Amino acid sequence: MNKSELIETLAQEVDLPHREAAAITNTILETMIEALAKGDNIEIRGFGSFVIKQYRSYEGRNPKSGKKIEVAPKKLPFFKVGKELREQVNLHGKK
Amino acid sequence: MTLTKAELVQQVYKTHTTLSKTQATESVEAFLRISKNTLINGADLLLSGFGKFNVKDKNSRRGRNPQTGDELTLDARRVITFKPSGILRDKINNS
């Protein structure tokens, strides 16, 4: 499912115009992005959590040329799936 | 600081002034429910500008109990992985 399909489904489920559902979806995603950009974590019960991991700079290699390169320090978001969702996803996989 | 569902609802309510508090709550709940059901049904969730959630089937494998060292078989399972979009990565690193 992509974003526009999600918006379409949301519009039907909450009985709001498509344009309103699109705006709400953007608010939700932007709020999450802003939180992560500030360095905050996200914790949504039943769904999962996002934490920012900080990486120090390290020496890497260009996998194509084999040349050494300095990889700058960076932050990356990590998603940890919530227990309830993890169990439900796994349950359906066995069917 | 940690962003929770309550803050997401608050943000949606504040941003979309035509919505009642109940509608704002319902919208966030529906957004999460649709997202979860997509993954539970085994489909990937692609949210452009944010990232993608993939459902992956893992084969069973032999592992060890790290505490006792005993060998055991880890069952085949289905897991969710998250890959942040380039836009999200940039926003996290340029703030």
Side-chain angles (χ1 to χ4, degrees), chain B residues 56-60 75-79 81:
Chain B
K56 289 189 177 165
D57 283 307
K58 300 273 188 189
N59 290 325
S60 69
D75 291 341
R77 64 206 169 102
R78 181 175 272 190
V79 299
T81 60

Side-chain angles (χ1 to χ4, degrees), chain A residues 46-61:
Chain A
F47 187 76
S49 57
F50 296 85
V51 292
I52 300 287
K53 283 193 189 174
Q54 176 98 46
Y55 290 82
R56 271 181 262 180
S57 86
Y58 60 94
E59 197 175 70
R61 270 177 202 279

Side-chain angles (χ1 to χ4, degrees), chain A residues 1-3 6 9-10 13-14 16 20 23-25 27-29 31-33 35-37 40-44 46-47 50 52 74-77 79 81 84-85 88-90 92-93, chain B residues 1-4 8 11-12 15-16 18-19 23 26-27 30-36 38-40 44-50 53 76-78 80 82 84 88-89 91-93 95:
Chain A
M1 174 174 287
N2 62 28
K3 192 168 148 186
L6 189 149
T9 313
L10 181 64
E13 288 208 9
V14 294
L16 285 171
E20 188 87 44
I24 292 167
T25 300
T27 300
I28 293 172
L29 292 175
T31 306
M32 289 170 64
I33 291 169
L36 294 172
D40 289 350
N41 295 332
I42 303 175
E43 213 175 291
I44 295 168
F47 187 76
F50 296 85
I52 300 287
K74 64 185 167 197
K75 289 182 258 179
L76 278 177
F79 174 66
V81 61
E84 185 195 324
L85 181 57
Q88 280 182 286
V89 163
N90 198 24
H92 277 245
Chain B
M1 269 290 289
T2 303
L3 179 71
T4 62
L8 275 179
Q11 196 59 39
V12 169
T15 313
H16 306 272
T18 56
L19 296 182
Q23 282 178 308
E26 253 308 293
S27 301
F31 174 91
L32 294 171
R33 188 172 59 238
I34 297 161
S35 300
K36 280 195 276 188
T38 301
L39 298 167
I40 290 168
D44 295 339
L45 178 64
L46 316 166
L47 299 172
S48 64
F50 187 75
F53 297 87
R77 64 206 169 102
R78 181 175 272 190
I80 298 171
F82 173 70
L88 177 59
R89 287 174 58 141
K91 286 195 178 152
I92 287 171
N93 284 288
S95 55

